[in-house]
Amino acid sequence: MLESIFLIFLFQLVGEMIQKFFELTIPGPVIGLVLLLVALLLFGKYSTSVKTRLEKGLTTTAEYLLGHLPLLFVPIGVGVVMHISFLENRLLAVLFVIFSATVLSIGFTAFVMEKLQNLGNQNDG
Amino acid sequence: MTDEQRLYSIWVYLQAEPLFWLTLTIGAYLVGDFCYRRSNLFPLFNPVALSIIIVSGVLLIFDIQYERYFEGAKFIHFLLGPATVSLAIPIYQKWALIKSNAMPIISAVLLGSVFAILITYLLALAFSLEREIVLSLLPRSVTAPIAMGISELIGGIPSLTAIITIITGIIGAAFGTFTLDLLRVKKMSARGFGIGLASHGIGTARAMSRDKTAGVFAAVAMGLSGVVTALIVPLIIFLLKI
């Protein structure tokens, strides 16, 4: 468990350093995600006892962190409510635009994705 | 000291400590999650939305500054970074499925990202919103740090974009499933993909807590659309002369 927390923090740290150094708009944790994925894919071929143990630990830690992922957005969401007056008289119009555009984009993208998958007969796992 | 004074001094002590705000945040989330399950997954009872309302209500009633709350709640906020990194693990486990869907993924990311930007622009135009608000709205479907970067680049207001982005995520998490049921999209991969593309991390969180395949495809869509949107928003602004 501790090893996997260390690894996840380490990859985020490297991601943040790369983001700062190259002044990228892509957030540090996303760079960390890509780096960890690349590392997992590269070492995926080998099977040593160390690798098996690390992968098992990472799976447990990831499942725990991701199982409660929505909770992690609550503090920043509260900030939005407390600062909503920023939009003043435009609030209702902006909310309507966000609501309609979001629902339409989800529907459009998922619909297109499913059609494209059916074209190629990809399975869903 | 009277009992009342003693209670007051305990309250003064508590609100200066992280423990109280952490307990409140997790408690509010558990209540939200409980109501959501009890309501048979009714979209308006989304746990994130409910817990945000509960915590905001407490802050407003007791006249607490957001900054004071965040001093404590930042420990929960901090975990967002490690949680993002750990998305690599389920993506790795589903890698074969992602590889076999490479073409649909790439096409749907491009089409979906362009659609999300254009529909936002058209609706904002219909309400004749000010140029600064329109520009702040355009990058709203990608994760907040990327959206704020784009907003700054194109002349929007980054802090307004941050607010708009979070609202987008909450709406996607709350109404995504309902919309997809209405459209009869059945494949878990396609459902997650739409939610992740249009409502970034908050939508992905929702998808991940319901189905692993949906969560993984949401995460992939979120990551790719972040990069694609950063590249095409300036292009669309140039082409449409916004």
Side-chain angles (χ1 to χ4, degrees), chain B residues 42-123:
Chain B
F42 182 65
L44 276 177
F45 283 6
N46 175 271
V48 184
L50 274 178
S51 38
I52 288 169
I53 292 168
I54 295 171
V55 175
S56 310
V58 171
L59 299 190
L60 289 172
I61 290 167
F62 294 99
D63 196 23
I64 310 280
Q65 290 270 312
Y66 173 68
E67 287 66 27
R68 167 156 276 184
Y69 162 75
F70 195 78
E71 261 312 290
K74 70 180 176 198
F75 297 103
I76 292 176
H77 176 74
F78 164 78
L79 287 173
L80 262 183
T84 306
V85 175
S86 70
L87 282 168
I89 291 127
I91 293 179
Y92 167 66
Q93 287 162 344
K94 298 268 178 191
W95 188 248
L97 186 63
I98 291 167
K99 246 170 83 178
S100 71
N101 279 285
M103 278 319 287
I105 287 175
I106 293 166
S107 322
V109 159
L110 291 172
L111 289 170
S113 303
V114 171
F115 181 89
I117 299 164
L118 288 182
I119 195 76
T120 306
Y121 176 61
L122 290 176
L123 284 164

Side-chain angles (χ1 to χ4, degrees), chain B residues 189-209:
Chain B
S189 51
R191 291 172 68 99
F193 200 83
I195 292 181
L197 184 132
S199 55
H200 56 92
I202 307 182
T204 300
R206 195 73 221 129
M208 188 63 90
S209 64

Side-chain angles (χ1 to χ4, degrees), chain B residues 157-199:
Chain B
I157 311 163
S159 54
L160 179 59
T161 300
I163 293 175
I164 290 168
T165 304
I166 306 290
I167 298 174
T168 297
I170 294 170
I171 289 174
F175 296 96
T177 311
F178 179 69
T179 312
L180 295 169
D181 287 344
L182 216 66
L183 283 168
R184 296 203 182 84
V185 178
K186 292 211 173 58
K187 277 195 163 76
M188 273 304 165
S189 51
R191 291 172 68 99
F193 200 83
I195 292 181
L197 184 132
S199 55

Side-chain angles (χ1 to χ4, degrees), chain A residues 49-96:
Chain A
S49 59
V50 180
K51 192 211 124 201
T52 316
R53 198 184 68 219
L54 280 180
E55 242 183 65
K56 222 172 158 183
L58 278 173
T59 308
T60 318
T61 310
E63 263 165 19
Y64 190 74
L65 270 175
L66 298 175
H68 305 287
L69 193 49
L71 164 70
L72 311 186
F73 288 98
V74 174
I76 197 163
V78 173
V80 170
V81 175
M82 304 305 272
H83 292 113
I84 201 86
S85 54
F86 202 81
L87 280 166
E88 292 172 352
N89 54 342
R90 291 314 210 170
L91 180 63
L92 278 182
V94 169
L95 281 181
F96 183 83

Side-chain angles (χ1 to χ4, degrees), chain A residues 101-111, chain B residues 172 176 179-180 191 194-195 198-199:
Chain A
T102 304
V103 170
L104 289 170
S105 303
I106 289 176
F108 174 83
T109 309
F111 189 80
Chain B
T179 312
L180 295 169
R191 291 172 68 99
I195 292 181
S199 55

Side-chain angles (χ1 to χ4, degrees), chain B residues 31-50:
Chain B
V31 170
D33 202 43
F34 176 78
C35 294
Y36 183 62
R37 282 174 210 286
R38 267 300 165 90
S39 71
N40 272 320
L41 316 185
F42 182 65
L44 276 177
F45 283 6
N46 175 271
V48 184
L50 274 178

